[in-house]
Amino acid sequence: LTPEQVLRWRNQFLGGEDEDPTVKRSRIHTVNTLIRNSRGLMAKKYLSFLSDRMRLPDPLPFAGIQLLKPPSMRYQSKINAHEILRKAGKELKSKEPEQFKALLLALVCGLRRGEIDNLLWQAFDFGRKVLRVQNSQYHELKSEDSAGEIDLSDEMNAYFKAQARRAKGAFVIESDHAPKKSESGTRYYRSNLVFKKL
């Protein structure tokens, strides 16, 4: 296995220039991931251990192989968030408060479903008007980059503060189902019915 063979494989895998841009983006991502992981097998910190057990090629198979610049992954919204919130305020705010809370946490705060499902009231600091996104005994964040604080507008802060006073339990989204880890490997949401209706 030589760098030339790796380059040949990469170019064949990427296909022609006339490909669908979505397919091309996916292939670039796959190629970069495979090369990055494969190169990691022969990283400098492992070379002394590997050379004791096997004869390594010179140059190494991934030497000089550059990762391709991935196309922009910036999300382009095709929804009118203000209109959705306006309608939700009329339809859900008083009749379906759990759905309305879930919508605000997703659309305004940018939380993922698992983060919303396991969000505890203690994550709110109403005095500072912030929502702390952090690991808890019920949920581990997808990545360390997900942790942080989200500033709340006066309106959002007042709404959730009022909801916290009425809360019957520790979770922001109330549900009859207890939190638990899924044994089947599929995701389990204690508030799944709320999400489905929303």
Side-chain angles (χ1 to χ4, degrees):
L1 188 62
T2 65
E4 290 77 15
Q5 289 173 310
V6 172
L7 281 174
R8 195 176 310 123
W9 163 80
R10 185 185 76 181
N11 294 339
Q12 286 174 344
F13 186 85
L14 288 174
E17 289 299 320
D18 55 347
E19 278 235 71
D20 175 344
T22 308
V23 173
K24 192 83 167 172
R25 183 186 303 120
S26 174
R27 288 189 178 188
I28 288 173
H29 178 73
T30 301
V31 158
N32 282 347
T33 301
L34 288 171
I35 289 176
R36 190 182 299 110
N37 291 346
S38 301
R39 193 166 33 193
L41 291 171
M42 296 183 184
K44 285 182 182 177
K45 60 183 177 182
Y46 301 133
L47 289 181
S48 60
F49 302 106
L50 289 172
S51 59
D52 289 346
R53 291 169 175 76
M54 58 172 47
R55 188 167 57 85
L56 296 172
D58 187 21
L60 292 172
F62 297 92
I65 305 291
Q66 300 295 315
L67 297 179
L68 298 169
K69 184 178 178 192
S72 172
M73 298 293 281
R74 179 175 287 185
Y75 172 70
Q76 305 256 332
S77 177
K78 295 178 179 69
I79 63 168
N80 184 336
H82 292 290
E83 185 65 12
I84 290 171
L85 289 171
R86 188 186 66 75
K87 288 184 175 180
K90 286 182 178 179
E91 295 175 26
L92 302 175
K93 192 172 185 177
S94 57
K95 294 178 190 169
E96 300 290 348
E98 302 315 306
Q99 291 177 43
F100 190 65
K101 285 188 282 187
L103 178 69
L104 289 178
L105 292 168
L107 195 58
V108 179
C109 299
L111 268 59
R112 297 180 174 98
R113 192 183 320 196
E115 293 165 348
I116 296 168
D117 190 52
N118 295 289
L119 186 65
L120 302 171
W121 283 115
Q122 67 190 31
F124 284 91
D125 184 336
F126 296 116
R128 291 178 50 230
K129 299 179 186 172
V130 295
L131 169 58
R132 291 185 304 272
V133 181
Q134 57 198 8
N135 289 321
S136 73
Q137 64 266 43
Y138 300 106
H139 182 71
E140 189 173 339
L141 296 175
K142 192 170 182 181
S143 72
E144 289 302 316
D145 293 338
S146 300
E149 291 187 345
I150 297 167
D151 293 321
L152 300 173
S153 67
D154 291 342
E155 190 180 2
M156 284 276 287
N157 194 60
Y159 173 76
F160 278 104
K161 190 174 183 178
Q163 291 297 310
R165 284 194 206 106
R166 299 187 194 105
K168 296 174 187 163
F171 291 97
V172 175
I173 306 297
E174 293 183 7
S175 170
D176 295 333
H177 301 281
K180 68 175 183 180
K181 295 228 175 186
S182 172
E183 294 171 9
S184 64
T186 57
R187 287 187 185 269
Y188 166 81
Y189 299 108
R190 41 175 288 286
S191 312
N192 199 41
L193 195 57
V194 172
F195 296 138
K196 279 189 172 180
K197 285 182 177 177
L198 177 58

